[in-house]
Each structure stands twice: as C-alpha cells, then as structure tokens.
Amino acid sequence: MALTRLSAFVLTLFAASVVLFVAINVIPGSAAQSALGLEATPQAIARFEASRGLDRPLIVQYFDWLGKAVNGDFGTSFQSAVPVGPELLKRLPVTLELALLAFAVANLIAFPLGTIAAARHRKGADRLFSTLASFLGAMPNFWLATLLVMVFSVWLRWLPPGGYVPITEDLGQNLKLMILPALSLGIVSSALLLRIMRASMLEVLSRDYIRTAKAKGASEKLTIWRHSLRNASIPYINVAAVELGFLFGSVVVIEDIFQLPGVGSLVLVGIINRDYPVLLASALAITVFVLLANLIVDICVGLLDPRRSKGSKA
C-alpha cells in the first residue's frame, strides 16, 4: 500500500516536472534578453544562451536539469548568479509558515460553522453561514489583504503592514507580521471548506444509523459530535488537503503585498525576469508540497476509514 502510494508520488512528480519545464521554456520572452538588457547585441545573446545550454534541444536541457536536480543542484540564477537551491531553502520556511497559518485560520472558520449550518439545516444559522460562504468565496484574497492593511495597519495601527522576522528570532513580532497575510488567505479559503463540511454533515445526518440513534433517544449534541463528525470529516479532509496545496501555491501575490521573502515572491521574480532556474525550482517546490500534502492526507484518511484501506488491498 505504502509502496504503491510512493510510486504514484514519484511518477506524478516526474510528469509534473516535465510539464513545468516545457511550459516555462516555451512562454514568450527571452531569458537572455531579460538578463542582459534591451541593448544586448545578438552576439551577446548567443554567447549567453550557449554558456547556459539554452541553445540545445529542449529534451537535452530537461534531462541535464533533471540529473542535477536529483542531486540537489537546481542551477544558478540568470540575474544574480546566485545558486537557486540554497536561496529556495532559505525562503521555504516563510511560505510554509504562511500556508499553515492560513490553513489553520480556514479550518477554525469552516469546521465549526459548517457543522452548525448542517445541524441547523434550513434555519437562520444555516442561511447566514451559507450566505457568508458565498460572499467569502467571491472575494479575491488580494482585495481582502488590501482591506485588512487599510483597517488594521493604516486606520487602527494595531499591526504592521508588512515585513518579516524569523520565528526563531522573535516569536511575537513574527506572529504580528504574519497575522494579516494568514487572514487574507485563510478567510477566503474557508468558503469552500465551509460548504464541503456542511454538505458532508448533511449527507451523514441523513443516514439510517443516525436516524436510529435519534430514535433510541440520543441527544442532538451526541448524535453530531459522537456519531457524525468522524464520517463527515473524511471528505472534508480530502478537500482540505487540496486546499492546503492551493494555499501554498497562491501565496505569490500575498507575499508581494506584505513583503514576505518566501517562495511566492521568488516565483514572481522568476516570472518578471524570465529567470528559468529560479522559476522552475520555485514551481517544483510548490508542486512537491502539494503532492506531499495529498499523500499524507491519503494515509490519514485510510486510518480514519479502514474500509478504504481494505478495499484498496482487495
């Protein structure tokens, strides 16, 4: 079982690396022109491309990059001539912290409100939380980020508008700086999770064993918290894993707004500068995180629902 999942992980990662490499190399624009400037001569551009192997066939470039990447060498930035791997490792904790904090915010909103909405189906609380989910789902996170900065940084002056301090240096200041970015991502992401939790709970509450428990005199609170939540959590966790990957991959704009030195801002630099090694390594790091999140959740769901594990072994 574990071997099958690991094999699927490796194959998916390989396929993703091929797609990313091809997509990045065929986008309009010249990496050499961007690195050398608009005044660069054709001879200078040709020398630049030859020195970095960009004049070779794409398939040759890919396998050369793959062989080095497997050994931890992701190349050197075209713009700064800095090795990409160490720079990526330095920025990864920032993005990981932001994604996890935003994920915590999303779940703290979605899980209880979705449960209450299902328990109060077609009542005031259900209508209120369903409307809230629709409103939040239609809200761009960059717009919410701007609004939060205006309210909490400009008007109230409660929180700083941007910057970053490592958690190892000053925990309090770190959290102050991360609150607004995490809220910007987490509040918007909670909309989908709230709807999923509500729908999952409604499906579970309509099952025969729940009606039997109620007929035997089980209270509504006991029915929900003891008999329903575990089964309702399984589809919720599956969607939450995808949402966690989405959070990790959607930090580009938020990191730029709040001046966070994470992987997202590195992606933005790579796009603007046509810096292929930077862009490819950053995009691949996000892909690895998404795949790992799904792999871990798949294992957790198997533990929560033994029938799935048995069915996969059969």
Side-chain angles (χ1 to χ4, degrees), residues 109-137:
I109 296 171
F111 196 87
L113 296 191
T115 302
I116 294 171
R120 299 289 183 267
H121 185 42
R122 294 181 180 174
K123 296 181 181 179
D126 184 22
R127 296 188 185 95
L128 174 63
F129 295 148
S130 296
T131 302
L132 178 64
S134 299
F135 176 72
L136 295 178

Side-chain angles (χ1 to χ4, degrees), residues 12-270:
T12 305
L13 183 58
F14 173 74
S17 71
V18 173
V19 173
L20 285 172
F21 191 90
V22 173
I24 289 171
N25 278 275
V26 299
I27 57 175
S30 168
Q33 189 83 63
S34 180
L36 299 176
L38 297 176
E39 303 299 324
T41 63
Q43 293 79 7
I45 290 175
R47 285 196 299 270
F48 180 93
E49 291 179 344
S51 66
R52 287 158 179 80
L54 298 178
D55 56 344
R56 297 175 299 170
L58 200 58
I59 189 170
V60 176
Q61 292 183 48
Y62 171 74
F63 281 106
D64 179 55
W65 170 85
L66 181 64
K68 293 178 180 177
V70 169
N71 293 315
D73 180 6
F74 292 96
T76 302
S77 168
F78 290 165
Q79 294 286 329
S80 62
V82 173
V84 176
E87 182 67 19
L88 184 64
L89 288 176
K90 184 173 70 175
R91 290 170 174 263
L92 195 58
V94 181
T95 300
L96 185 58
E97 181 188 358
L98 175 58
L100 291 177
L101 286 174
F103 188 63
V105 169
N107 282 279
L108 286 172
I109 296 171
F111 196 87
L113 296 191
T115 302
I116 294 171
R120 299 289 183 267
H121 185 42
R122 294 181 180 174
K123 296 181 181 179
D126 184 22
R127 296 188 185 95
L128 174 63
F129 295 148
S130 296
T131 302
L132 178 64
S134 299
F135 176 72
L136 295 178
M139 184 186 300
N141 54 35
F142 63 85
W143 181 86
L144 178 59
T146 305
L147 180 63
L148 290 175
V149 169
M150 286 291 295
V151 173
F152 292 102
S153 299
V154 178
W155 295 344
L156 299 177
R157 299 183 182 275
W158 288 355
L159 295 168
Y164 181 75
V165 173
I167 196 170
T168 54
E169 292 184 10
D170 189 335
L171 175 60
Q173 186 64 17
N174 172 271
L175 292 177
K176 282 183 181 180
L177 290 166
M178 296 298 282
I179 286 174
L180 293 183
L183 288 175
S184 304
L185 287 171
I187 290 175
V188 174
S189 293
S190 68
L192 173 63
L193 296 180
L194 196 160
R195 287 194 289 263
I196 293 298
M197 190 63 198
R198 176 183 177 274
S200 183
M201 277 295 294
L202 285 175
E203 196 273 331
V204 171
L205 289 173
S206 67
R207 291 180 182 175
D208 291 339
Y209 74 90
I210 296 296
R211 287 195 289 266
T212 300
K214 290 181 178 179
K216 290 182 177 180
S219 65
E220 182 181 15
K221 183 177 180 180
L222 180 65
T223 301
I224 292 174
W225 296 105
R226 183 174 179 180
H227 299 293
S228 304
L229 268 184
R230 178 171 178 174
N231 288 329
S233 297
I234 293 172
Y236 177 86
I237 291 173
N238 278 313
V239 177
V242 177
E243 193 66 16
L244 177 58
F246 173 77
L247 284 171
F248 195 87
S250 62
V251 297
V252 176
V253 176
I254 298 301
E255 286 187 357
D256 187 55
I257 291 174
F258 291 99
Q259 301 171 15
L260 296 174
V263 177
S265 59
L266 198 62
V267 170
L268 193 60
V269 169

